Amino acid sequence: MGKTRKKYTIKRKKSKAVFKAADFLEEGRIAFLDSEYVTSQKKGGPPAKLVSLGMVICRENFEEVERFHSYIYNDEPLHDKFRELTGITEEELLQAPPYEQVMKEVARKLRARNVRIICVWGPDQQVISQDLKYYRTGISKHIRKTVSQMLEQMRDIEGIYSRKLNMHSIGIANLKLLCGLGSSVSHDALEDAVDLKNVIAYLDVHGCPERAAQMLRQYMKEKELYCRYRRFHEKWDGISEAVVRKSRELINELEKSGMMEARALLDDLRVICTGEDSSFEEPEEYMERMKEK
């Protein structure tokens, strides 16, 4: 008798569905959330402290059904960088409702609107988690449980959409530019949450504008190289005329090169000799220049 051969079946792994925020609009409402927080100015200092939350809740076709914004009480001084970036003042935070009241209201709105997933972009989920652990030790068990449940609903979609766009760590400003929605970012929690909703709605409905994405990828690559090789931003004292003359000759040669390393060296030499500093152009300027070519 001939040998009977065993049949082997190859089990194929089911491909994981690509996440789209729009899919959750069919099953229930979805929220987009952003936060503002104060970071330590010392290396290895305490975690960031939450001082503001903004949220927009949507249903079918990304139609907004609810907006929410609140500052959170804080009696600690703010550093200049935070004030300049956000426009938030100590007075506003001293008059703001306490943490428990804000989180209770957020949770109430999420329940009322049947929100199943909360989309965030970047470190917000981690900041809220660390803030709960480090600064909110005295809150009630009920609110602690409520915030923990909110954290379970949160999904950081930065990595998901960055992979779709084949870009690394793209910020909301560049996302807005990519989608033709301007490029300014307000650093206001509610406005930033609305911006996040708008760019995700655009990408999910219209897809990635590939030509613009190619230009933006090239911009980010060139800027990274330029910043890596730039060294100086102030004029040097005591440089002899002979060195200045040789530097000018080298600058003339470097201007003929299209390499980012050469451009960085050129700008270093120029600021060292003349005090005229330069920085890499803004993405919208770069993309406009590329369109003209």
Side-chain angles (χ1 to χ4, degrees), residues 216-248:
L216 191 54
R217 289 186 201 108
Q218 187 63 26
Y219 169 82
M220 293 171 73
K221 181 181 177 181
E222 291 185 6
K223 184 178 180 180
E224 192 277 330
L225 269 175
Y226 175 85
C227 293
R228 186 194 307 172
Y229 285 95
R230 273 302 303 268
R231 291 291 181 272
F232 308 106
H233 295 278
E234 293 181 357
K235 187 177 184 299
W236 286 12
D237 296 327
I239 299 178
S240 68
E241 278 300 318
V243 171
V244 171
R245 187 168 56 253
K246 289 180 181 179
S247 296
R248 286 174 180 161

Side-chain angles (χ1 to χ4, degrees), residues 12-176:
R12 301 181 183 275
K13 289 184 178 179
K14 291 183 180 180
S15 59
K16 193 175 181 181
V18 177
F19 175 89
K20 285 180 70 175
D23 293 340
F24 286 85
L25 298 174
E26 299 172 5
E27 304 170 19
R29 292 182 175 88
I30 189 169
F32 295 87
L33 181 143
D34 188 79
S35 65
E36 298 299 333
Y37 43 86
V38 182
T39 56
S40 173
Q41 294 299 281
K42 296 179 181 179
K43 188 175 180 180
K49 188 174 186 181
L50 193 66
V51 295
S52 175
L53 275 181
M55 177 177 68
V56 56
I57 301 175
C58 303
R59 59 185 176 191
E60 193 173 359
N61 298 322
F62 289 93
E63 178 189 354
E64 292 184 23
V65 294
E66 184 104 34
R67 285 188 176 190
F68 172 83
H69 175 265
S70 180
Y71 295 127
I72 297 170
Y73 177 82
N74 176 68
D75 59 358
E76 296 176 4
L78 305 174
H79 53 75
D80 291 342
K81 186 176 180 181
F82 176 83
R83 282 195 297 266
E84 291 168 9
L85 188 66
T86 66
I88 298 173
T89 65
E90 282 93 346
E91 289 75 17
E92 287 172 316
L93 298 183
L94 285 170
Q95 296 170 13
Y99 175 87
E100 291 197 47
Q101 183 179 327
V102 174
M103 290 308 188
K104 185 177 180 179
E105 183 64 13
V106 171
R108 187 188 69 78
K109 291 181 180 295
L110 292 172
R111 284 194 303 271
R113 296 296 185 178
N114 189 32
V115 171
R116 295 187 56 194
I117 187 167
I118 305 168
C119 292
V120 297
W121 187 277
D124 298 88
Q125 184 178 15
Q126 183 180 357
V127 166
I128 294 169
S129 176
Q130 288 295 312
D131 175 271
L132 175 66
K133 181 180 178 181
Y134 191 86
Y135 297 108
R136 315 300 171 180
T137 55
I139 64 172
S140 68
K141 290 182 179 180
H142 173 70
I143 293 297
R144 183 171 297 279
K145 183 179 178 181
T146 297
V147 178
S148 297
Q149 289 171 342
M150 287 167 49
L151 287 165
E152 290 174 4
Q153 289 181 294
M154 287 183 195
R155 184 153 189 177
D156 181 6
I157 58 175
E158 179 181 6
I160 296 167
Y161 282 85
S162 293
R163 285 192 294 273
K164 287 182 182 181
L165 297 169
N166 193 23
M167 296 183 193
H168 177 66
S169 298
I170 179 173
I172 295 296
N174 284 344
L175 272 176
K176 288 182 67 178

Side-chain angles (χ1 to χ4, degrees), residues 230-237 239 267-277:
R230 273 302 303 268
R231 291 291 181 272
F232 308 106
H233 295 278
E234 293 181 357
K235 187 177 184 299
W236 286 12
D237 296 327
I239 299 178
D267 288 347
D268 274 345
L269 289 172
R270 184 175 285 128
V271 72
I272 286 170
C273 295
T274 69
E276 180 187 340
D277 197 12

